[in-house]
């Protein structure tokens, strides 16, 4: 390979539409300006990646070999899924860097999956449509850690556009760009509760919702289904609010989303609830728990000029994020 390759894959925020993607609902994510970079130095027999923070891993070019551990599970799972689609077994040597906080609901695992997938496709000169790549990475997540995630994270990583969110129908994968007003500022606030979704009731909630969709009539099923229906409605209302620069309405919808996630879907925890309340009292337009729940972070919508003041209420726990470009591959000079 005459050129070095650099792959960029961002994390994502989800403005609204939580726990809807795995039920074929609607969501409004955006790629962010934090992510994972892989610099590829050469083709190789195996896939060898070195991370300054997490060590090195080496797996077969098509994922063969003993089960990997740690973050290497994602690398191996992506290689297996791509091999099943027909990618030639070409490996690579590269280094990996990330400025994404892990376990905070910004989809660090999806960003890793997409970055690895793009790098593997590039060195093998194997082309695959973006949404097919997203689906392969979604399957890799399940293969790697058993989390039955929807398509939201991987799709947002690949489809993101600077200054815009993506309105996506998770049942058909139809999507459209929704510009985000320049005055809209987004802040992630760390709850301090570390969690991995495979060690929470995330999968249980998905099963409960599937049971409700299938026609169960008990009270729990009614609450799960009510969240899905009302959250889908909030997604469309939120997109309309952005289109009309109505951030007050958008913030109200975010707060309603949190209440639904707390009461009907039961994936919030008291620490998240307190942060939402504190952010609202501090002048935010709205706030809600972000990601799969059971810990992680809160997403806050505020006027961009008030973000620093709001962040000061949560010292050492905030991350300012903006809608950014999606994943891509670029060539660098030798």
């Amino acid at each position: 390979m005459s050129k070095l390759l650099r792959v960029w894959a961002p994390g994502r925020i989800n403005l609204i539409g939580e726990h809807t993607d795995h039920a074929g609902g609607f969501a409004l994510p955006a790629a962010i300006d934090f992510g994972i970079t892989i610099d590829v130095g050469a083709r190789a027999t195996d896939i060898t990646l070195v991370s300054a923070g997490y060590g090195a891993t080496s797996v077969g070019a098509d994922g063969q070999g003993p089960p990997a551990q740690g973050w290497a599970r994602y690398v191996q799972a992506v290689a297996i899924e791509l091999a099943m689609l027909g990618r030639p077994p070409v490996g690579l040597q590269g280094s990996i860097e990330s400025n994404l906080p892990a376990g905070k609901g910004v989809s660090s695992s999806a960003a890793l999956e997409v970055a690895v997938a793009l790098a593997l496709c590039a060195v093998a000169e194997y082309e695959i449509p973006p949404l097919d790549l997203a689906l392969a990475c979604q399957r890799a997540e399940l293969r790697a850690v058993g989390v039955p995630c929807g398509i939201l994270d991987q799709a947002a990583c690949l489809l993101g556009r600077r200054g815009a969110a993506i309105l996506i129908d998770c049942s058909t994968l139809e999507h459209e760009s929704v510009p985000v007003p320049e005055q809209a500022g987004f802040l992630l606030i760390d709850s301090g509760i570390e969690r991995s979704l495979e060690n929470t009731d995330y999968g249980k909630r998905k099963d409960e919702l599937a049971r409700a969709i299938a026609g169960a009539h008990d009270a729990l099923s009614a609450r799960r289904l009510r969240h899905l229906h009302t959250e889908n409605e909030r997604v469309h209302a939120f997109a309309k609010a952005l289109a009309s620069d109505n951030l007050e309405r958008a913030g109200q919808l975010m707060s309603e989303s949190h209440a639904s996630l707390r009461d009907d879907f039961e994936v919030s925890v008291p620490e998240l609830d307190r942060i939402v309340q504190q952010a609202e009292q501090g002048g935010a337009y709205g706030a809600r728990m972000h990601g799969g729940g059971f810990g992680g972070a809160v997403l806050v919508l505020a006027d961009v000029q008030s973000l620093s003041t709001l962040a000061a209420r949560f010292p050492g726990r905030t991350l300012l994020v903006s809608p950014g470009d999606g994943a891509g591959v670029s060539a660098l000079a030798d």
Side-chain angles (χ1 to χ4, degrees):
M1 187 166 57
S2 60
K3 298 287 185 180
L4 295 175
L5 294 175
R6 171 164 289 176
V7 178
W8 159 258
R12 67 99 181 100
I13 53 174
N14 188 23
L15 307 188
I16 200 163
E18 209 71 81
H19 283 282
T20 56
D21 61 332
H22 51 71
F26 293 87
L28 192 67
I32 59 174
D33 45 0
F34 292 87
I36 290 175
T37 301
I38 296 180
D39 284 331
V40 178
R43 290 188 175 97
T45 303
D46 295 324
I47 303 167
T48 301
L49 290 169
V50 178
S51 165
Y54 296 96
T57 185
S58 183
V59 301
D62 58 0
Q64 75 272 19
Q69 302 298 317
W71 63 276
R73 294 175 295 174
Y74 298 101
V75 178
Q76 187 175 47
V78 168
I80 291 172
E81 291 297 334
L82 291 178
M84 293 174 66
L85 292 177
R87 188 194 79 93
V90 180
L92 58 82
Q93 293 179 348
S95 62
I96 183 168
E97 294 184 358
S98 174
N99 59 4
L100 273 176
K104 306 304 179 189
V106 291
S107 300
S108 55
S109 60
L112 175 60
E113 292 153 9
V114 169
V116 170
L118 287 174
L120 290 177
C121 288
V123 297
E125 299 180 352
Y126 178 75
E127 295 186 4
I128 178 173
L131 287 175
D132 288 343
L133 187 70
L135 288 167
C137 291
Q138 177 194 16
R139 295 191 297 271
E141 180 104 12
L142 179 60
R143 180 183 293 274
V145 294
V147 174
C149 67
I151 193 62
L152 169 67
D153 298 349
Q154 295 83 2
C157 180
L158 283 157
L159 299 175
R161 290 186 180 181
R162 186 165 300 278
I166 308 134
L167 177 59
I168 183 168
D169 181 341
C170 297
S171 64
T172 65
L173 299 186
E174 292 182 1
H175 58 278
E176 61 180 281
S177 181
V178 178
V180 174
E182 292 184 359
Q183 69 268 29
F186 297 98
L187 187 70
L188 283 169
I189 304 174
D190 184 6
S191 70
I193 302 176
E194 298 284 347
R195 90 283 186 270
S196 297
L197 290 182
E198 65 264 33
N199 297 321
T200 69
D201 282 343
Y202 179 96
K204 181 180 178 181
R205 292 294 181 274
K206 179 181 178 182
D207 292 341
E208 290 169 349
L209 183 56
R211 180 172 174 270
I213 293 172
H217 297 294
D218 56 282
L220 185 144
S221 297
R223 293 198 306 273
R224 303 296 187 256
L225 199 58
R226 182 168 59 212
H227 168 73
L228 176 64
H229 290 161
T230 59
E231 189 77 347
N232 281 331
E233 293 171 356
R234 283 187 287 268
V235 170
H236 292 290
F238 194 101
K240 290 180 180 178
L242 291 184
S244 60
D245 291 347
N246 189 345
L247 297 185
E248 290 85 358
R249 174 58 176 156
Q252 178 187 11
L253 291 162
M254 286 182 68
S255 296
E256 291 175 3
S257 173
H258 180 78
S260 181
L261 288 160
R262 180 193 64 213
D263 301 334
D264 283 344
F265 216 70
E266 297 181 277
V267 290
S268 187
V269 293
E271 291 83 355
L272 294 171
D273 300 337
R274 282 195 292 270
I275 293 172
V276 167
Q277 184 179 42
Q278 291 167 358
E280 292 170 343
Q281 292 172 346
Y285 290 122
R288 68 176 192 84
M289 56 144 281
H290 184 256
F294 306 102
V298 166
L299 179 66
V300 176
L301 171 63
D303 189 277
V304 68
Q305 294 180 339
S306 68
L307 283 181
S308 59
T309 300
L310 189 57
R313 298 172 63 94
F314 306 91
R317 300 167 59 189
T318 63
L319 184 70
L320 277 68
V321 293
S322 301
D325 290 326
V329 181
S330 58
L332 302 176
D334 288 332

